[in-house]
Amino acid sequence: MALITRDDKHKPAPVPGPYLPSTARGEPDVPARTPLTPWNLLAAIAEGAWTIVLGHWVTLVSFFRPKITDQYPHRDPRRDWQPRPGYRGDFALISNKEAGRLNCTACMACANICPSGCIWIEGEGKAKDRVAVQFYVDTGLCQYCWLCVEACPFDAITMTPDYETAADSAAKLIRDIDYLRARGLEYEHALKPAEVEQPAEETAEESS
Ligand code: SF4
Ligand code: SF4
């Protein structure tokens, strides 16, 4: 009786037919080389020369193309540019300018609905006198979903079209109540998603 060793048992079965290595099929292991004839040599030289010409042509065309250098952020070439309606940018808290206080009553609806947990609020007072005294939004965590604005029953928080939110540290991405209040002075009301008007050309495209 033949002794079956552990190595024999784990040896992979030979792969049939065309999957065998070329040498096992009796074929040469290396692909046939292009024969070195004068014609082939000339064709190879011509191909090499053409790639050099092509590369220089691309360089030449780029050389005469008008150059555009954006001195951003010192000079913003898009200064007359505005994001599309409904763009969700930086945050602001709306104030009741007559009463001289924020609309926010620290009801926590926005903080509770926020899927990223990036709103932190502290309130003071009771019932209609209740007002937010601390309000933080961590825009580094925010996913700009607009749920907080939709959930707010007091027209107190909004997202502005301001897209300049980049910062060089995570701490600078956290907006506090003073920042949010100052930014909100430009706004009378929070912009709700349902109020966003689509540009005329988009509406025409959809209806066609
Ligand atoms: S936009 Fe969305 S993720 Fe950002 S603070 Fe509001 S609810 Fe949270
Ligand atoms: S912003 Fe609106 S939803 Fe959020 S705590 Fe203030 S009042 Fe409530």
Side-chain angles (χ1 to χ4, degrees), residues 91 113-116 118-119 137 142-148 159:
F91 288 86
I113 205 167
C114 175
S116 306
C118 55
I119 300 179
V137 182
C142 174
Q143 52 184 286
Y144 294 88
C145 64
W146 215 340
L147 283 176
C148 50
M159 296 177 82

Side-chain angles (χ1 to χ4, degrees), residues 125-148:
K126 289 215 160 64
K128 63 182 176 48
D129 291 330
R130 186 164 173 79
V131 67
V133 289
Q134 294 294 344
F135 200 115
Y136 293 96
V137 182
D138 187 344
T139 61
L141 294 178
C142 174
Q143 52 184 286
Y144 294 88
C145 64
W146 215 340
L147 283 176
C148 50

Side-chain angles (χ1 to χ4, degrees), residues 104-110 121 135 152-154 156-157:
C104 179
T105 61
C107 72
M108 306 302 286
C110 57
I121 306 162
F135 200 115
C152 178
F154 297 105
I157 185 168

Side-chain angles (χ1 to χ4, degrees), residues 76-82 163:
D76 187 352
R78 301 164 298 173
R79 56 192 174 277
D80 297 328
W81 177 88
Q82 282 296 316
Y163 52 89

Side-chain angles (χ1 to χ4, degrees), residues 32-41:
R33 294 188 177 194
T34 309
L36 188 62
T37 61
W39 173 247
N40 286 343
L41 192 62

Side-chain angles (χ1 to χ4, degrees), residues 30-191:
V30 287
R33 294 188 177 194
T34 309
L36 188 62
T37 61
W39 173 247
N40 286 343
L41 192 62
L42 276 176
I45 291 172
E47 191 186 349
W50 170 243
T51 57
I52 293 171
V53 170
L54 202 62
H56 280 80
W57 172 250
V58 172
T59 307
L60 197 68
V61 169
S62 304
F63 189 76
F64 290 104
R65 197 174 279 154
K67 309 293 177 298
I68 300 167
T69 304
D70 289 348
Q71 304 292 339
Y72 182 83
H74 307 294
R75 283 181 51 215
D76 187 352
R78 301 164 298 173
R79 56 192 174 277
D80 297 328
W81 177 88
Q82 282 296 316
R84 295 177 79 77
Y87 180 84
R88 290 167 269 181
D90 208 357
F91 288 86
L93 286 178
I94 312 285
S95 294
N96 179 337
K97 297 197 178 78
E98 284 172 17
R101 49 167 276 181
L102 291 172
N103 286 357
C104 179
T105 61
C107 72
M108 306 302 286
C110 57
N112 289 337
I113 205 167
C114 175
S116 306
C118 55
I119 300 179
W120 187 86
I121 306 162
E122 204 176 294
E124 239 177 40
K126 289 215 160 64
K128 63 182 176 48
D129 291 330
R130 186 164 173 79
V131 67
V133 289
Q134 294 294 344
F135 200 115
Y136 293 96
V137 182
D138 187 344
T139 61
L141 294 178
C142 174
Q143 52 184 286
Y144 294 88
C145 64
W146 215 340
L147 283 176
C148 50
V149 181
E150 282 193 89
C152 178
F154 297 105
D155 194 31
I157 185 168
T158 193
M159 296 177 82
T160 72
D162 190 355
Y163 52 89
E164 298 280 6
T165 51
D168 55 11
S169 76
K172 288 183 187 167
L173 292 171
I174 300 173
R175 310 299 188 222
D176 65 10
I177 195 165
D178 295 330
Y179 175 97
L180 294 165
R181 183 190 287 115
R183 186 162 284 271
L185 293 177
E186 300 166 32
Y187 299 88
E188 294 298 327
H189 298 284
L191 188 63

